Amino acid sequence: MKIRLKYVVEDIDRHGNVRLYFRRNGKKIRLPGPVGSQDFLAAYQTALAGESRPNLQPSKKLGHIVPGSVRALCIEYFKSAMFRELDPRTQKVRRSILERFCEHKSDGEKPFALLQPKHIRKRRDEMMDRPAAANGMVKALRQLYKFAVRYDLHDRNPAAEIEYLASKNPDGFHSWTLAEIEQFEEKHPVGTMARLALALALYTGQRRSDLVQMGKQHVRNGWLIFTQHKNRNRHPVRQEIPIVPELQRIIDLTHGTGDLTFMVTAFNRPFTSNGFGNRFRKWCNEAGLPQCSVHGLRKAAAARLAEQGCTEFEIMAITGHRTSKEVTRYTRAASQKTRAESALKRITGERN
């Protein structure tokens, strides 16, 4: 297979000899042959780094930076607007994934221009026992090379050709059943912070990052009005959700709600997203529900709306999803149950 590298051209001299050059912006740098040799790669990396962005600063984890390497590309990506516009938590996760990729068998020292789909696919297959982690790596590499293409550092995104692995848990987080909700309510009565957390999640269908920020300042004439935390900087989603009577009752009867947020810690401070997740995990365990989570309540809320005959667009208006793909996955079982019940009622009606 012939290797194609960005800015590498072949010229034939008057004697018929093929010469390799790195040509960009009208400048030509002679490269030693053959293509793919160590001398060639070293010269190519030096030329590429010199023509693009030479002032690379290593991070504590990435260590020494080889010009033109995967590590060097990562450093450039971390400094770009594409990366800095991401949510801080997303930045942290993606940086960690790419740093691990660089540390694996010194992959970070290899020329990023020579990374092929077969190399990524092999690394993905080594992680088949952890499909979620493997898919996360592929996604991070897709974004890394998307940056390289957009900033004219490369002409191809090899990770875009890699298929995601099938999840071991295609349905995702466990969706709460009615019996599980009742079991949680029996353990945590109205008036406790745990019961308020359950009600907020169940009657708004929001993520935990939004639940921990909800407070009196978001209430307008019986409606919760807020901008979702996820993608708030790039694609903000503004939500207006009516406060149902049961949720309002629980809010009014909960002891110790905060001034800026409904839910507060034992020290009367707002929860962080991770802190709330850990605390809710403890509340679930106390209720004998180790299989349940706060995200499962978001799924349960969408499923309950589906069981009431709400359309996907109506459910999206509550959950804030921008596409119906995730909502369909959340509500698949509930929709099937509703359609089955409707179908049998029609049959019964025909017989009557």
Side-chain angles (χ1 to χ4, degrees):
M1 182 179 68
K2 187 175 182 179
I3 298 176
R4 293 188 308 132
L5 297 175
K6 198 173 183 68
Y7 308 123
V8 173
V9 296
E10 295 180 348
D11 283 350
I12 301 177
D13 64 16
R14 59 191 178 90
H15 300 292
N17 298 316
V18 177
R19 295 187 177 184
L20 300 171
Y21 292 92
F22 181 96
R23 183 169 66 192
R24 187 181 186 190
N25 299 328
K27 299 180 180 180
K28 291 175 64 175
I29 302 174
R30 179 75 182 274
L31 300 174
V35 175
S37 66
Q38 282 192 332
D39 290 341
F40 169 84
L41 293 177
Y44 176 77
Q45 292 172 9
T46 301
L48 185 64
E51 288 296 322
S52 55
R53 304 183 183 196
N55 298 321
L56 299 176
Q57 298 297 324
S59 70
K60 292 181 180 179
K61 290 188 177 180
L62 286 176
H64 175 66
I65 303 301
V66 177
S69 66
V70 176
R71 289 181 187 272
L73 182 62
C74 287
I75 291 295
E76 288 297 277
Y77 174 51
F78 296 153
K79 295 191 296 183
S80 71
M82 279 183 62
F83 183 79
R84 295 189 176 189
E85 287 177 350
L86 298 174
D87 182 82
R89 184 174 181 276
T90 303
Q91 289 185 25
K92 181 178 179 181
V93 171
R94 187 163 298 169
R95 182 188 289 269
S96 177
I97 292 172
L98 291 174
E99 287 175 345
R100 286 197 299 271
F101 180 84
C102 288
E103 293 166 1
H104 179 76
K105 297 181 180 179
S106 300
D107 284 341
E109 311 305 321
K110 299 172 183 176
F112 74 80
L114 296 185
L115 187 68
Q116 301 293 317
K118 64 179 181 180
H119 302 137
I120 303 174
R121 191 172 284 111
K122 180 180 179 181
R123 178 75 182 102
R124 181 205 64 182
D125 291 349
E126 292 175 357
M127 304 168 67
M128 285 189 65
D129 60 324
R130 296 167 290 139
N135 293 340
M137 179 202 67
V138 172
K139 182 177 181 180
L141 288 174
R142 285 183 180 181
Q143 295 304 310
L144 175 66
Y145 276 85
K146 182 179 180 181
F147 155 77
V149 173
R150 180 175 295 180
Y151 281 73
D152 203 26
L153 299 175
H154 201 35
D155 58 358
R156 182 188 182 193
N157 188 338
E161 304 175 35
I162 306 303
E163 310 80 7
Y164 287 128
L165 295 178
S167 173
K168 289 185 178 180
N169 183 19
D171 291 329
F173 288 90
H174 168 70
S175 181
W176 293 52
T177 65
L178 180 59
E180 289 168 340
I181 294 173
E182 292 175 348
Q183 185 173 330
F184 188 96
E185 291 176 340
E186 288 178 4
K187 177 63 178 178
H188 303 288
V190 173
T192 63
M193 200 59 62
R195 184 62 172 274
L196 175 60
L198 177 83
L200 284 171
L202 195 58
Y203 293 117
T204 68
Q206 300 305 301
R207 303 176 184 88
R208 67 184 186 186
S209 57
D210 297 313
L211 298 176
V212 298
Q213 296 186 25
M214 289 181 181
K216 299 174 184 177
Q217 70 273 21
H218 297 118
V219 178
R220 298 287 188 280
N221 299 321
W223 288 69
L224 277 171
I225 302 174
F226 60 97
T227 299
Q228 288 189 330
H229 182 82
K230 186 175 182 179
N231 293 324
R232 65 195 182 282
N233 295 325
R234 294 186 299 161
H235 306 292
V237 176
R238 187 172 185 269
Q239 290 290 93
E240 297 188 24
I241 301 175
I243 302 176
V244 298
E246 178 62 10
L247 174 58
Q248 187 62 62
R249 183 181 75 88
I250 294 174
I251 292 174
D252 293 339
L253 295 177
T254 300
H255 308 297
T257 55
D259 294 328
L260 294 178
T261 59
F262 292 128
M263 295 187 296
V264 291
T265 67
F267 301 99
N268 200 35
R269 296 177 181 175
F271 281 100
T272 63
S273 180
N274 289 337
F276 174 64
N278 294 334
R279 186 60 186 172
F280 199 86
R281 167 80 276 135
K282 184 177 180 180
W283 288 331
C284 288
N285 292 342
E286 290 173 349
L289 299 169
Q291 74 280 15
C292 295
S293 67
V294 65
H295 194 81
L297 283 171
R298 178 168 165 82
K299 294 181 65 175
R304 292 177 73 176
L305 291 170
E307 288 179 355
Q308 295 300 316
C310 295
T311 67
E312 289 184 350
F313 287 105
E314 288 173 330
I315 297 172
M316 288 165 61
I318 298 295
T319 62
H321 284 99
R322 297 176 66 89
T323 66
S324 61
K325 178 181 178 181
E326 195 71 6
V327 172
T328 299
R329 187 166 69 88
Y330 280 1
T331 62
R332 187 181 299 116
S335 298
Q336 182 275 327
K337 177 181 176 182
T338 301
R339 288 194 298 267
E341 182 180 26
S342 176
L344 289 176
K345 284 182 177 180
R346 292 181 182 180
I347 292 176
T348 302
E350 290 176 357
R351 288 180 177 177
N352 290 337

